[in-house]
Structure formats: structure tokens, C-alpha cells
């Protein structure tokens, strides 16, 4: 039995073995790594994220922060889509009122530029709505992809 310099604990089986800070298993000094993000180490290779230099907990933390940011963006896009829907509905009411000649009764709407061009405003609102809705679907798809990556890492819902 020897004593490891890093962990100051007895290491069964000889020199050059280091204890993992997470699981407590012993491994050869050349078989471990230190995470460059959280600076924890030495860690055994089981705690290294595949295809990355970071540990699994750092990768999970990055993915969760990214997913929360995407959810915030999705909420902002959804609120913008609701605003565009409101604009569309207001100008649809103006358009219908103009067709039924209800605007002749309201003085300030008789020579209003927006009322005269309500069709164009409604078309613009419809195009902006379609683009924003597609952006929202893209955000939702990215969130679902991140959730599936996190579940593949073996982590339950947080």
C-alpha cells in the first residue's frame, strides 16, 4: 500500500494511482483528466463527456443554461406573435368597418392613412406573423433536441 500525493489516502495496489474526486475509484495517473471549465480534477474517464474536454456535470450545466435561454427567447417570440395577431385583428376590424361604411360616422378615421391602407398593413402583419411563427417552431425544435440530449446523458427532469 502506498499513499497518493493528490488525495492523501491509502491507495491499494501501488504507486501512481489517483482517486477520482467524484466516484472515489482509483485509476492510473495517466488515465484521468482535469475539467478545464470547473477546474475539478483528477477525475476518471467515466466522468468525461464524450467528444468534449469537460466533465459531464459542466456539459449538463451548459446545456441547461442554453435550454433556459432558448425558452426565454421562445417566450419573447410568442409574445411578439401575439402582438402581431392583435395588429392584424385591429386592422381587420378597420377594413370590415370601411367595407360596411361604418367609418363615415367616426370623424378621425375618415382620412386616416392606416385605414386607407388596411389591406397592406394586414398583409404585412400576416407575413411577419408567419415568419415569427416559424422562428417559434425552430426554437421549440431546438429545445426538444436539448431535452433529448440531456435525457440521453442519464439525467432525469430537473
Amino acid at each position: 500500500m502506498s499513499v497518493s500525493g493528490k488525495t492523501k489516502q491509502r491507495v491499494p495496489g501501488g504507486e501512481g494511482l489517483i482517486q477520482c474526486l467524484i466516484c472515489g475509484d482509483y485509476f492510473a495517473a495517466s488515465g484521468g483528466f482535469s475539467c478545464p471549465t470547473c477546474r475539478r480534477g483528477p477525475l476518471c474517464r467515466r466522468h468525461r463527456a464524450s467528444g468534449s474536454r469537460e466533465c459531464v456535470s459542466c456539459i449538463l450545466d451548459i446545456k441547461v443554461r442554453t435550454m433556459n435561454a432558448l425558452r426565454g427567447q421562445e417566450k419573447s417570440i410568442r409574445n411578439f406573435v401575439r402582438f402581431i395577431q392583435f395588429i392584424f385583428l385591429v386592422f381587420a376590424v378597420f377594413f370590415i368597418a370601411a367595407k360596411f361604411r361604418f367609418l363615415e360616422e367616426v370623424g378621425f378615421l375618415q382620412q386616416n392613412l392606416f385605414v386607407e391602407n388596411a389591406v397592406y398593413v394586414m398583409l404585412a402583419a400576416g407575413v411577419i406573423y408567419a415568419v415569427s411563427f416559424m422562428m417559434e417552431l425552430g426554437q421549440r425544435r431546438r429545445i426538444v433536441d436539448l431535452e433529448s440530449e440531456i435525457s440521453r446523458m442519464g439525467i432525469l427532469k430537473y
Side-chain angles (χ1 to χ4, degrees), residues 9 21 24 35 45-48 51 54 59-60 75 80 92-93 101 103 105-107 111 113 125 130 135 140 149:
Q9 295 180 3
L21 291 178
C35 178
R45 293 200 185 264
R46 288 188 317 187
H47 302 293
R48 184 179 206 158
E54 287 89 9
I59 294 296
L60 177 67
K75 184 177 179 183
F80 181 71
V93 168
R101 305 212 187 270
L103 295 181
E105 303 297 323
V106 182
Q111 297 298 328
L113 181 66
M135 287 173 52
R140 172 65 17 214
E149 285 180 31

Side-chain angles (χ1 to χ4, degrees), residues 15-153:
E15 296 291 328
L17 294 180
I18 301 174
Q19 187 176 16
C20 177
L21 291 178
I22 295 177
C23 65
D25 288 349
Y26 292 96
F27 58 92
S30 62
F33 76 102
S34 293
C35 178
T37 304
C38 66
R39 309 237 187 251
R40 282 192 302 177
L43 303 174
C44 63
R45 293 200 185 264
R46 288 188 317 187
H47 302 293
R48 184 179 206 158
S50 61
S52 176
R53 293 179 21 203
E54 287 89 9
C55 64
V56 174
S57 61
C58 287
I59 294 296
L60 177 67
D61 186 45
I62 290 169
K63 289 187 185 297
V64 167
R65 279 188 280 146
T66 303
M67 189 169 47
N68 288 336
L70 286 174
R71 283 185 176 151
Q73 292 171 359
E74 180 187 34
K75 184 177 179 183
S76 297
I77 292 170
R78 189 176 301 127
N79 290 337
F80 181 71
V81 166
R82 287 182 184 144
F83 175 70
I84 295 298
Q85 287 172 339
F86 171 75
I87 289 175
F88 181 81
L89 290 175
V90 166
F91 281 98
V93 168
F94 284 158
F95 181 75
I96 292 170
K99 290 297 178 186
F100 286 112
R101 305 212 187 270
F102 291 139
L103 295 181
E104 295 171 358
E105 303 297 323
V106 182
F108 75 94
L109 292 176
Q110 288 176 357
Q111 297 298 328
N112 193 332
L113 181 66
F114 289 117
V115 175
E116 292 172 3
N117 298 314
V119 172
Y120 301 115
V121 174
M122 288 176 10
L123 286 174
V127 169
I128 293 171
Y129 172 78
V131 169
S132 300
F133 187 74
M134 296 305 288
M135 287 173 52
E136 184 179 357
L137 288 178
Q139 290 291 92
R140 172 65 17 214
R141 192 175 318 120
R142 284 194 268 172
I143 290 171
V144 168
D145 290 344
L146 276 174
E147 286 175 344
S148 67
E149 285 180 31
I150 290 172
S151 66
R152 273 187 267 136
M153 291 175 75

